[in-house]
Amino acid sequence: MNNLSIEIIIPLLGIVGLVIMIFKAIWVSKQDQGDENMIELAGHISRGALAFLKAEWRVLGVFVVIAGALLAWSAELEAVAAHTDWVIAISFLIGAIFSAFAGWIGMNIATKANVRTTQAARTSLSQALKVSFTGGTVMGLGVAGLAVLGLSTLYIIFTGMYDNMQQALEVLAGFSLGAESIALFARVGGGIFTKAADVGADLVGKVEAGIPEDDPRNPATIADNVGDNVGDVAGMGADLFGSYVATMLATMVLGREVISVDSFGGNAPILLPMLIAGLGIIFSIVGTLFVRIKDEKSSVMQAMNLGNWSSMILTAISSYFVIHWMLPETMTFERGDVILNISQMDVFWAIILGLSVGTLMSLVTEYYTSMGRRPVNSIIQQSSTGHGTNVIGGLAIGMESTVLPIIILAAGIYGSFELAGLYGVAIAAAGMMATTAMQLAIDAFGPIADNAGGIAEMSGLPSEVRERTDNLDAVGNTTAATGKGFAIASAALTALALFAAYVGLAGITSIDIYKADVLSMLFVGAMIPFFFSSLAISAVGKAAMEMVKEVRRQFKEIPGIMEGKGKPEYEKCVEISTAASIREMVAPGALALLSPIVVGFAFGPEALGGLLAGITVSGVLMGMFQNNAGGAWDNAKKSFEKGVEIDGKMEFKGSDAHKASVTGDTVGDPFKDTSGPSMNILIKLTSIVALIIAPFISVGEPSEHESHPITFDSSEPTINEPQETLLFEPVLNQD
């Protein structure tokens, strides 16, 4: 099989994923929607979600046009003409459109699947799981299929347009920049929307008015359900689409520096991550077939784990054969004076290590956020002494939860680097992201189940329906938390790979932390995730205040609303959340995009490297801390619904301890759904921006190595012993 044939196979794998997605979307659409009341409520949610997306797209459309024009203009500058091209603007535009479309696919199917899941729950838990998980599968396959199809197709086009592989990949980086830019705004904007509505609904509805969650009398309840779709589904879809693309791109850029004598024109290390991603789609489809339960007593979580594990195992097995088919027995990674010997098995074990890191990170996250485990139980116990101790307990658990994941991540980075150098770190991230379709299917099913429970509550359906949807929702909370752990781990590995690619393109071999500008920017970089989180959390607070005022107004001014005779003005609350989220998402987005540009041009490439290092390390820790603390607070609150034992006494909803847990959950909401998930986009986006501007600030000519056939003598090639490559090399000034 030649280079051309494999370049055709990869996009076809993406198309297979999209075709299966269409068939599953049609199946979901054909399911029963229930009675007129259920259809009306689902219509409110659907229209609200679409209204938000349209408002967001109008703002982002202006951004995309301006950013694209700047990219096109800058690419034509004589100093960088050999390294990039105005076509990068087209690549950026396509990436932005694909990312937005990926989010829309998720949102569209979620707003259809929610009411159909509710109706399915009237028959059995098994059928409710089937509908909700199929809805999640549509999103997973849509995101993965679009990513593989888009990136591989553009790769084929650009490598045909440019003789220089470096230039082709630099132009291709525009696709990733477009995807991550939209992902950031979608995640932050959607997160602000959903948490403003959620906090407003909880504080006024549950705490002040004493009415149940998702009560139709609460004006904010529709906005809360809309938020689940625009934040946890559309935002998450765009987020993981960007992660998927960025991971493949980083591996491809570093693959350019691997000298490989293969049947693919020397391009096997570049093509490998795309092929593994494509195969991951196929095995994710296989994995979805295992997500089944027999009866009401069956474990939904076990079904999810079975599907997830099967897709990962199949991907790992296939990677072994693909690597031995594509790669030569021995390759060399060259950067400057460093020459590293890499074998087939080194690459394979790096992929296995990436899959292992992702799995372990998910398991640790599950432990810290699941009901019945020590971390969540400790927060429950501390709720008995009041709101303050609940908050203190959640903060402590969130901080503690960073220890094991960081050790696992550090071990993964060290191990993959020892195996195959910087390319090993990148291919480990690619292996971790290979089953993104399955991960997203598991993640997306949660918000669908949550919405289904809300519709059941608002429709006044029998208690067994709500019990079934609550069963699914509880699993969804855990899978959402583990998905965030997986996402931040992949982001860390991807950011490191992107950073390594940036160093190569910027023409620097080491970063001297004894230099004042580098050390200064290292501290500035470490500060940015904190400032970014502050902006995002503050935005939620401001939007929530507006929501609280509106809900209070409606309770006061609409006659008979508490008696169920007056109809709340749901659209008003949706409009408030939409306007607030669109307004407040600008500042965090600008911070992420502009900080590397300002530092890079003002202080040079080495100082920018210091900034990226600070953002990456600090951002990973902040992401883990906020995601896990928020997830633990959430499930601590939900534990009271079934009853918990505190000091030998059973406590239920409505107790003082439960009210304290609601406060903790309110604090944790912006942590786990707004600022926390945004960290992984922040660390990747800043690295991608640095990669884009690298030719403009380069201190010398970037590595000119091109992937091409190389002929060795019949004797073994002489390879230097593996040398240590320091990304941050302290070098004393001898002057």
Side-chain angles (χ1 to χ4, degrees), residues 408-492:
I408 293 167
L409 186 60
I413 292 170
Y414 182 85
S416 57
F417 184 87
E418 285 295 304
L419 285 166
L422 294 170
Y423 184 73
V425 176
I427 203 68
M432 187 188 301
M433 294 295 295
T435 57
T436 291
M438 188 65 191
Q439 291 290 335
L440 261 175
I442 293 172
D443 283 355
F445 121 92
I448 293 172
D450 190 9
N451 265 206
I455 293 172
E457 183 78 32
M458 289 185 282
S459 302
L461 297 181
S463 59
E464 64 264 20
V465 176
R466 188 63 202 253
E467 287 174 7
R468 288 165 180 155
T469 58
D470 282 350
N471 187 340
L472 297 177
D473 186 27
V475 174
N477 281 331
T478 301
T479 58
T482 56
K484 289 166 184 172
F486 171 85
I488 197 68
S490 66

Side-chain angles (χ1 to χ4, degrees), residues 301 305 362-381 397 400 478 482 632 635-636 639 644:
M301 195 71 224
N305 289 335
S362 296
L363 291 174
V364 172
T365 305
E366 181 182 346
Y367 170 74
Y368 275 99
T369 59
S370 293
M371 293 182 187
R373 301 292 184 91
R374 191 268 306 172
V376 170
N377 285 339
S378 71
I379 298 174
I380 292 171
Q381 297 302 314
I397 290 299
E400 179 194 319
T478 301
T482 56
N635 274 335
S639 298
V644 296

Side-chain angles (χ1 to χ4, degrees), residues 113-173:
N114 52 13
V115 69
R116 290 165 172 82
T117 299
T118 306
Q119 179 64 13
R122 302 175 79 166
T123 58
S124 68
L125 179 64
S126 174
Q127 187 63 18
L129 172 62
K130 186 177 180 181
V131 175
S132 57
F133 184 72
T134 303
T137 303
V138 170
M139 179 181 173
L141 293 177
V143 168
L146 282 174
V148 171
L149 177 62
L151 193 70
S152 60
T153 303
L154 289 178
Y155 171 81
I156 294 169
I157 294 171
F158 294 155
T159 50
M161 289 175 59
Y162 308 107
D163 296 329
N164 186 330
M165 181 64 77
Q166 178 187 309
Q167 188 173 14
L169 293 177
E170 180 72 13
V171 173
L172 187 60

Side-chain angles (χ1 to χ4, degrees), residues 159-407:
T159 50
M161 289 175 59
Y162 308 107
D163 296 329
N164 186 330
M165 181 64 77
Q166 178 187 309
Q167 188 173 14
L169 293 177
E170 180 72 13
V171 173
L172 187 60
F175 181 78
S176 183
L177 178 64
E180 288 288 4
S181 298
I182 297 301
L184 178 69
F185 288 110
R187 194 50 130 161
V188 173
I192 295 169
F193 184 109
T194 185
K195 291 304 105 180
D198 194 8
V199 171
D202 284 355
L203 289 181
V204 185
K206 288 195 292 187
V207 178
E208 294 183 9
I211 59 178
E213 188 174 3
D214 296 316
D215 193 296
R217 293 171 292 177
N218 193 331
T221 191
I222 291 293
D224 188 10
N225 284 293
V226 170
D228 290 337
N229 290 285
V230 300
D232 296 337
V233 179
M236 179 178 61
D239 177 1
L240 283 191
F241 177 86
S243 296
Y244 205 37
V245 170
T247 302
M248 285 189 283
L249 175 72
T251 313
M252 292 165 72
V253 172
L254 289 170
R256 185 184 65 86
E257 300 181 55
V258 177
I259 300 176
S260 172
V261 185
D262 52 59
S263 303
F264 305 95
N267 293 327
I270 299 174
L271 294 167
L272 181 63
M274 289 191 290
L275 182 58
I276 290 175
L279 291 172
I281 294 175
I282 304 301
F283 296 126
S284 293
I285 295 170
V286 175
T288 62
L289 302 177
F290 292 95
V291 183
R292 299 280 189 273
I293 58 172
K294 294 181 180 179
D295 51 43
E296 303 291 310
K297 297 181 180 180
S298 300
S299 171
V300 176
M301 195 71 224
Q302 284 184 4
M304 293 288 179
N305 289 335
L306 181 61
N308 194 25
W309 277 99
S310 60
S311 62
M312 287 194 296
I313 291 170
L314 289 171
T315 300
I317 294 171
S318 68
S319 296
Y320 176 84
F321 294 102
V322 167
I323 288 168
H324 280 74
W325 170 55
M326 291 186 65
L327 301 180
E329 290 187 7
T330 302
M331 300 162 288
T332 56
F333 180 88
E334 289 191 0
R335 175 172 290 185
D337 296 330
V338 175
I339 302 176
L340 185 65
N341 187 15
I342 302 173
S343 70
Q344 291 174 334
M345 291 305 295
D346 290 335
V347 176
F348 171 71
W349 288 118
I351 290 174
I352 298 299
L353 194 56
L355 286 166
S356 302
V357 167
T359 302
L360 290 172
M361 292 282 282
S362 296
L363 291 174
V364 172
T365 305
E366 181 182 346
Y367 170 74
Y368 275 99
T369 59
S370 293
M371 293 182 187
R373 301 292 184 91
R374 191 268 306 172
V376 170
N377 285 339
S378 71
I379 298 174
I380 292 171
Q381 297 302 314
Q382 291 180 78
S383 300
S384 64
T385 50
H387 302 252
T389 49
N390 174 280
V391 172
I392 291 170
L395 290 173
I397 290 299
M399 293 175 184
E400 179 194 319
S401 71
T402 64
V403 177
L404 281 177
I406 287 295
I407 292 173

Side-chain angles (χ1 to χ4, degrees), residues 695-715:
F696 297 86
I697 61 175
S698 175
V699 295
E701 286 296 311
S703 173
E704 294 297 330
H705 167 65
E706 289 294 320
S707 296
H708 54 78
I710 299 172
T711 304
F712 290 108
D713 294 333
S714 57
S715 59

Side-chain angles (χ1 to χ4, degrees), residues 58-74 89 92-93 96 177 593-594:
R58 282 195 292 270
V59 175
L60 294 183
V62 175
F63 160 75
V64 167
V65 170
I66 295 172
L70 288 172
L71 279 172
W73 169 78
S74 62
F92 170 82
L93 178 63
L177 178 64
L593 286 165
L594 295 179

Side-chain angles (χ1 to χ4, degrees), residues 216 273 408 543 577 634:
I408 293 167
S577 261
D634 189 10

